[in-house]
Amino acid sequence: NAGVMQNPRHLVRRRGQEARLRCSPMKGHSHVYWYRQLPEEGLKFMVYLQKENIIDESGMPKERFSAEFPKEGPSILRIQQVVRGDSAAYFCASSPGLAGVNEQYFGPGTRLTVT
Amino acid sequence: AQSVSQHNHHVILSEAASLELGCNYSYGGTVNLFWYVQYPGQHLQLLLKYFSGDPLVKGIKGFEAEFIKSKFSFNLRKPSVQWSDTAEYFCAALSGGSYIPTFGRGTSLIVHP
C-alpha cells in the first residue's frame, strides 16, 4: 500500500516563476491537508481539501497561492510569481476522514527554493 | 488562538541517556495530542497520540508521553535513547471540534553514539 506521494521532492524556481506541487494521497483517503515548514519553525497549516472542495483555506496567503483536489488526479498546490520568502518545505498529509479522529499520513515533502 | 510550545529546540544526548522533550499547549478544553517524528530525509510519522483515557500513552520505538491536564503538558519521554533516535520531533494539538492541528516548532534531537 503506497504512502502519500509528493513530487517533485526538490523544486528550484527563479523569482516570478510559478511553482506547482503535487500530492497523491493514500489509496482510499479523500482528505488532504497542506502545510508549510519554514526554517526553525513548525508546520503551519495552509489548506484543507476534500475531493473537488476546499474546506478550509484560512492558512493560505490571500494572493498568489491556490490549491485544488480534483475528482481525478493529485492535489495541486500552486504558487504564482514566487518570491524568496516562499522558499520552504511543503508537506501534504492525507487521512480517510477528519484529522484528530483519523490519523494523518504525511508525504515526504517538496523543498522549494526560490533564487 | 491555540498554540503549542516546544521549549527545547535543540537537544544533544549520548546513547543510553534518558530523554524528555517538553510540550505545552494553550487550549483549555478537550484536546487531542500527538507526537510526530521526522527522521533525516524522511516524512513525518506518528509516534503516539492521546485522545482520552489513560494519560500515560505508549508509542512506537519505546517512546511514551504523559498528559498532565493541570499543566497543559504532554511531554515525550524515552528511558534510553539510541543513535537511531536522531530526528526532529514535533508535538501537535487538536482542540475539540477542530480539524486543524496546531504544531509546535519542533525539537531537533542529536544522539551521539
Side-chain angles (χ1 to χ4, degrees):
Chain A
N1 189 13
V4 178
M5 309 288 284
Q6 285 188 253
N7 66 81
R9 295 291 304 275
H10 300 274
L11 182 61
V12 180
R13 285 286 178 266
R14 284 196 291 271
R15 278 181 297 171
Q17 291 185 318
E18 178 180 287
R20 278 182 178 243
L21 287 61
R22 286 176 289 277
C23 169
S24 296
M26 285 182 70
K27 188 176 180 181
H29 288 191
S30 58
H31 297 240
V32 166
Y33 293 72
W34 283 94
Y35 297 87
R36 178 164 62 177
Q37 183 182 28
L38 293 167
E40 301 296 315
E41 293 187 25
L43 291 161
K44 302 293 185 188
F45 166 78
M46 297 183 74
V47 61
Y48 163 44
L49 310 104
Q50 292 182 28
K51 284 282 187 181
E52 299 185 277
N53 287 304
I54 297 175
I55 305 303
D56 189 319
E57 55 182 350
S58 59
M60 200 125 85
K62 294 287 185 276
E63 297 179 353
R64 302 188 297 107
F65 285 72
S66 62
E68 62 177 13
F69 189 14
K71 187 176 179 181
E72 302 290 337
S75 175
I76 307 285
L77 179 67
R78 183 180 175 207
I79 311 172
Q80 295 178 289
Q81 299 174 338
V82 295
V83 300
R84 287 229 171 97
D86 297 331
S87 295
Y90 292 83
F91 292 91
C92 83
S94 75
S95 68
L98 288 173
V101 177
N102 297 277
E103 179 179 340
Q104 289 186 306
Y105 293 82
F106 283 83
T110 294
R111 300 194 182 275
L112 172 66
T113 302
V114 179
T115 61
Chain B
Q2 180 172 286
S3 66
V4 175
S5 299
Q6 291 182 244
H7 305 295
N8 316 105
H9 298 152
H10 300 278
V11 174
I12 301 174
L13 295 172
S14 298
E15 275 195 319
S18 64
L19 170 72
E20 180 159 3
L21 301 182
C23 173
N24 289 91
Y25 60 94
S26 63
Y27 189 70
T30 303
V31 64
N32 296 341
L33 296 157
F34 309 83
W35 274 99
Y36 286 87
V37 61
Q38 185 179 24
Y39 297 105
Q42 296 188 28
H43 57 279
L44 274 80
Q45 303 171 45
L46 184 67
L47 265 181
L48 47 79
K49 61 186 177 185
Y50 171 80
F51 283 4
S52 63
D54 188 345
L56 185 61
V57 180
K58 301 231 183 259
I60 60 171
K61 306 189 180 187
F63 286 91
E64 66 177 31
E66 185 175 13
F67 170 55
I68 303 179
K69 190 173 181 179
S70 61
K71 295 185 178 180
F72 298 91
S73 71
F74 189 56
N75 292 355
L76 181 71
R77 300 195 293 247
K78 186 170 183 178
S80 177
V81 294
Q82 300 172 309
W83 174 78
S84 57
D85 293 324
T86 294
E88 192 90 16
Y89 292 82
F90 294 92
C91 181
L94 189 68
S95 58
S98 173
Y99 47 76
I100 302 175
T102 300
F103 283 80
R105 63 172 282 179
T107 296
S108 172
L109 171 66
I110 296 175
V111 180
H112 289 301

